[in-house]
Amino acid sequence: MQYAEIIVNLPLSGKGLVQQHTYHYHIPDELLGQVQPGHLVIVSFGHHTVQGIVLAVSDTAPVAETKPVQKLVWPEPLLSPRQFTLAHWLSETYLTSLSVVLWYILPPGVGRKAVPQLALAENVAPPPTLSPAQQRLWQILLRGPRRLAQLPPDVAAPAIWRPLQRQKLLRRSLVVEDHTPRLVHDLLVQLVADPDQIADTLLQLGRPSKQADILAYLLATPDPLPTLKQVKRATACGNGPLRELVAKGWIAVETAQQLYLSPLGEAALTKQRERLQDKAPKQAAVLSLFLTDPRPKTSAEIYAVGGSRSALRTLKQSGLLVRYQQPAHVLRRLSEDETFEAIIALRGTKKERLVLDALLTEGEPAWVGWLYAETGCNRQTLNRLAAAGLVEFLKKRHFRDPLAGRVIGKEKAPPLLPHQRDAWQGIEKALRHPHGDSRRLLLWGPPGSGKTELYLRAADLVLRRGRQVLVLVPEIALAVQMVQRFARRFPGQVYLWHSELSAGERFDLWLRDQQGEAAIIVGTRSALFLPHPKLGLIVLDEEQDAAYKNLSAPRYHGRAVAAELATLSGSLLLAGSATPDVVTYHRAKQGVYQLLTLRERVLVPTRKREQVRTTAKLPPVTVVD
């Protein structure tokens, strides 16, 4: 038997204290090997159902009887060991309950507080003294437990249900909503047939049409002149569809007729013609016709060159001509491409053909929304193609990103100016020697001195080593400005985090960061509590700003948490400011931070012909008492 030590999400007495009680639950067989520290689970607590965070898993428990863990809220652990360590440090440093800290750093949208619920007690009958409002409440609860917030206001008042609770006719408990964050997926369509199979199948799709069946048969048969009987038998059609196709000029139906053909070769035929030239000129004329064109001839063609019925009879009797009966046959008058288009029109599968053409052109799975816009099709069109075995649907995880689709531009790194090079040497040295004496740098420079350029170069060096970068700013407005600078330098690698984003956008970024896919995150102080599995650099811009203080529980200073996170992750902390906080400056003087100074402003060229950036000295300042 394995046991999980869990901290539950309940408004318990003493929650504001640093010490927080934990409880032990046994892990049922169906969850053995799955429950790990950092998992968010559903457990029973008294007569309540609540969420809990697994702190540890062991083979023993300090209590004799335990309840089971009911289920996992999310299949993977939501908190890493480093996040647990940071949470314990924050709880002890700022005298805050560990429960408050843990629920604060959980991904957005997964942590749920238990809400009150009313339910009738078992095997009780309604007393005759119920008020009208209590009777209405009783009737509602007969259908099952109801959350207090779901009840009509006239029966949800405490004065209505508390007397029933005191009489033990109903019970009030806390339950947590069974909620899992919604993951967004893109629906893609993938081609699964080759062009030949597509062409064959497409001819059979769509609405029934005998005319289309006839054209499809004429297109597929190797016989250029199939008989009318063959066409009717193969397509199970009558004369009506054939007449309609003849009227459109798409086919021709030749009636049955007698034809004559000479069995002789050219030399024998010439000899017989010369023999008959004088004594039987009409027979000679007929033979001349076959010498000119040996193909079968009708009696009308023979009569046209001077032949006669008696001449035909004599030639046939003498074996110079053979007569046979040709049945009625069908001739396709359209080319192959024209026939294909006619079948598509008759069956009404133009949109299906457009979808298949688009997929063939793309050569890879396409998003259904793009297909809708590109071809004018709908889901029914795609379903028909899938049922025919031509396409299949795929689901691809879609990460909601507030920066997606925005064209920010791209810029190259400008050369450093002399005063920047001195500071950069200190940053580069700290990055290249991760186990040096100082892993905290204070970059002091006035506005416009080029601090951001040094942030960008430090980020580039960290990214090339396969590590992540966290850029902190005190306010949301500054986050938007900073993300533009980083996105121009590192297109497609920058992500934005702040409280004004939707819970879905933040949860998606949390997942990406947990998987190590978020190379650079620019955000406000709460970004400190993202997973950051490969963190290598923390940039703390405007480190003196009071907005880094969190004024609600858990109360903390983002600058101190950033320094602790840098220590835990082995990252470099690069704090920048034009007016350093007095505490930070004092620590820099004591050697806790390495102080790097930028004493000049960068003058950016304002005209296109000016290519060289220059610097300007700071104006002289005199302190007057």
Side-chain angles (χ1 to χ4, degrees), residues 227-426:
T227 66
L228 184 60
K229 187 177 181 180
Q230 289 174 333
V231 173
K232 286 184 176 181
R233 188 190 311 118
T235 60
C237 72
N239 291 325
L242 289 164
R243 284 196 297 266
E244 292 173 356
L245 290 174
V246 171
K248 294 176 181 177
W250 292 356
I251 67 170
V253 177
E254 301 291 343
T255 58
Q257 57 185 341
Q258 290 182 347
L259 294 177
Y260 294 87
L261 181 67
S262 174
L264 302 180
E266 183 179 355
L269 201 59
T270 302
K271 182 178 179 181
Q272 292 296 331
R273 184 193 63 177
E274 292 175 351
R275 181 178 66 83
L276 297 172
Q277 187 72 44
D278 295 330
K279 63 179 182 179
K282 290 185 178 182
Q283 295 181 38
V286 173
L287 296 180
S288 296
L289 176 62
F290 281 94
L291 278 171
T292 304
D293 184 2
R295 291 180 299 176
K297 303 291 187 296
T298 64
S299 57
E301 292 175 305
I302 292 174
Y303 295 156
V305 298
S308 65
R309 183 173 297 178
S310 61
L312 280 177
R313 185 171 54 252
T314 302
L315 290 172
K316 191 167 79 72
Q317 290 174 351
S318 60
L320 299 180
L321 289 182
V322 177
R323 186 181 67 181
Y324 67 95
Q325 188 76 14
Q326 177 177 282
H329 61 274
V330 181
L331 174 66
R332 174 169 55 88
R333 286 186 167 181
L334 300 176
S335 66
E336 289 190 4
D337 291 342
E338 290 171 337
T339 305
F340 191 86
E341 294 296 331
I343 295 172
I344 295 296
L346 289 169
R347 296 201 184 277
T349 53
K350 181 180 178 180
K351 290 183 179 178
E352 284 84 347
R353 198 271 307 275
L354 291 175
V355 169
L356 294 170
D357 288 346
L359 292 173
L360 282 170
T361 302
E362 287 297 305
E364 60 183 13
W367 177 46
V368 292
W370 178 82
L371 285 174
Y372 294 160
E374 188 75 9
T375 66
C377 72
N378 53 30
R379 184 59 185 269
Q380 288 72 27
T381 305
L382 300 178
N383 288 342
R384 285 193 292 270
L385 292 173
L390 299 180
V391 303
E392 66 180 11
F393 295 105
L394 304 175
K395 281 188 177 182
K396 181 181 179 183
R397 178 76 171 88
H398 172 73
F399 289 95
R400 290 158 285 194
D401 182 3
L403 301 179
R406 296 193 180 186
V407 180
I408 300 179
K410 189 176 181 179
E411 68 175 19
K412 295 182 179 180
L416 294 179
L417 296 170
H419 76 291
Q420 290 177 307
R421 283 197 292 268
D422 294 339
W424 171 244
Q425 289 176 358

Side-chain angles (χ1 to χ4, degrees), residues 108 497-499 501-511 530:
W497 173 280
H498 56 72
S499 59
L501 299 178
S502 68
E505 289 173 328
R506 285 181 288 152
F507 183 74
D508 281 356
L509 177 53
W510 187 94
L511 280 181
L530 290 168

